[in-house]
Amino acid sequence: MCGRYALDSPPTLIKARFRLDECIDFAPRYNIPPGTEIPVIRQSPEGKRVLHLLRWGLVPHWAKDPAIGNKLNNARGESVAEKPAFRDAFKRRRCLIPASGFYEWHTEGKFKQPYFISLKSGEPLAMAGLWESWRGPEGEILRTACIITTGPNAVMAPIHDRMPVILEPVHWAAWLAAPVDEIAGLVRPLDPEGMQAWPVSRRVSKAVDDDPALIEPASDSD
């Protein structure tokens, strides 16, 4: 699963790295929880690559109650093409969710130790996602997104049995626009050679805490 992540890169850097035609402004965040507005990259009908803020927690277009999004923060890659909540978006509404890295918790003795996982290069990574547009009874539009997960690679296996699908830059364009039969093979763990992980403060377990120290290696007092 993926329940928290960080994005501290400025919009100017994200715009350049992902070659965006349009990028809304956003502030750095170090402890992003589900249910909040997150930067999401999509391809517009005109073929432009754009970044807007969508709520994390997918609400399918056919849902009667948007509260369903509280249960759909992640989509399992093994079943994303078949599950009713995800299959239509997997075919037509895929997105990239930029991140500096993500958190995962590993049970160690009597407590859970959080880890921060990122690219060794320090560059922002792209998590594979889905997005939806839901129309309420009064005509209001709610746009939401979720993160696709897969099994662990060698970096993640000692920490947790799931991880986000992380896409290499060479596959970003295909993920956003190619037919679904051309991208199904991208739903897999990233090569571990370019990844790193370290334990961080247990303060990250509290969603109200959001500061740069959360992504730093844990000290003895943490």
Side-chain angles (χ1 to χ4, degrees), residues 3 10 24 26-27 30 44 62 100 107 122 125 128 135 140 146 149 152 168 176 184 187 190 192 194 203:
I24 195 169
F26 58 88
Y30 300 89
S44 74
W62 45 257
S100 302
T107 300
L125 55 84
R135 184 181 296 273
E140 68 275 23
C146 71
T149 67
E168 297 178 87
L176 290 173
V187 181
L190 183 68
R203 289 195 301 115

Side-chain angles (χ1 to χ4, degrees), residues 1-5 34 56-58 68-77 79-80 83 85-86 97 103-104 127-130 145-150 160 162-165:
M1 63 173 293
C2 180
R4 299 282 178 82
Y5 73 96
W56 183 7
L58 197 76
I68 191 176
N70 298 330
K71 301 177 181 179
L72 301 178
N73 304 319
N74 295 159
R76 290 180 68 90
S79 57
V80 68
K83 289 284 187 180
F86 306 119
I97 300 176
Y103 299 99
E104 197 51 80
M127 297 186 289
L130 308 175
C146 71
I147 295 169
I148 300 177
T149 67
T150 186
H160 199 268
R162 303 293 297 175
M163 65 179 290
V165 172

Side-chain angles (χ1 to χ4, degrees), residues 110-180:
K110 296 183 179 180
F111 68 91
K112 290 185 175 182
Q113 173 63 55
Y115 283 76
F116 186 68
I117 303 96
S118 64
L119 299 181
K120 288 180 179 178
S121 66
E123 296 179 307
L125 55 84
M127 297 186 289
L130 308 175
W131 71 275
E132 278 278 16
S133 182
W134 179 84
R135 184 181 296 273
E138 303 301 321
E140 68 275 23
I141 300 296
L142 174 64
R143 292 186 174 89
T144 59
C146 71
I147 295 169
I148 300 177
T149 67
T150 186
N153 61 19
V155 170
M156 284 300 300
I159 302 171
H160 199 268
D161 62 358
R162 303 293 297 175
M163 65 179 290
V165 172
I166 300 170
L167 299 168
E168 297 178 87
V170 68
H171 299 309
W172 291 349
W175 181 261
L176 290 173
V180 69

